[in-house]
Amino acid sequence: MADIPKGIHYKITHPAHKLWMIALVAAAGSALCIGTLAFFDGVAKGDYLLVAPFGATMVLVFGLPQSPLAHPKNVVFGHLTTAITGIIFANLLPVTFWSLGLAVGVGIFLMIMLNVTHPPAGGESVIDHVRCSYQYSLRVLSNFCR
């Protein structure tokens, strides 16, 4: 049987099995994604898109794409659930050690109950609770902050 050259479609649908190739694709994808978010934040002159847990999200999305925790539904709705939780806590409670812990606990509870668990999103509740409480919030969500 003749050796048929494999095109780009085959290479995309059959990813590399060599560790260095997986690491290279994960690094390039993560760098491109975070760089793009940072670029748009710079153009918009604000903190619209880039938050710290997104770095950990890149590890799951690009490094472990087969993980259920890296599925798009979990990434988007996990972050959204905990961001809303943090904003609600910011409007109801002052920032204390117990309110931060409670915000994270409630965010994790909601992610599990909604079947959108995404571990990096757990930190989103803390960030939004602190930012909204100190009026140093994400400008996109600032209407929901005190």
Side-chain angles (χ1 to χ4, degrees), residues 9 11 13-14 24 54 64 66 75 85 90 95 114 119 146:
H9 180 268
K11 291 180 182 181
T13 58
H14 295 81
L24 184 63
F54 287 173
L64 301 167
Q66 291 84 11
V75 172
T85 302
V95 177
L114 296 171
R146 288 186 219 173

Side-chain angles (χ1 to χ4, degrees), residues 22-60:
I22 294 169
L24 184 63
V25 168
S30 298
L32 181 63
C33 186
I34 295 295
T36 302
L37 291 174
F39 171 77
F40 284 119
D41 268 358
V43 168
K45 296 186 183 4
D47 291 328
Y48 293 106
L49 302 171
L50 194 59
V51 292
F54 287 173
T57 294
M58 295 301 105
V59 174
L60 287 175

Side-chain angles (χ1 to χ4, degrees), residues 61-83:
V61 170
F62 290 106
L64 301 167
Q66 291 84 11
S67 170
L69 303 173
H71 290 176
K73 173 189 83 161
N74 293 51
V75 172
V76 172
F77 292 111
H79 279 290
L80 186 61
T81 299
T82 55

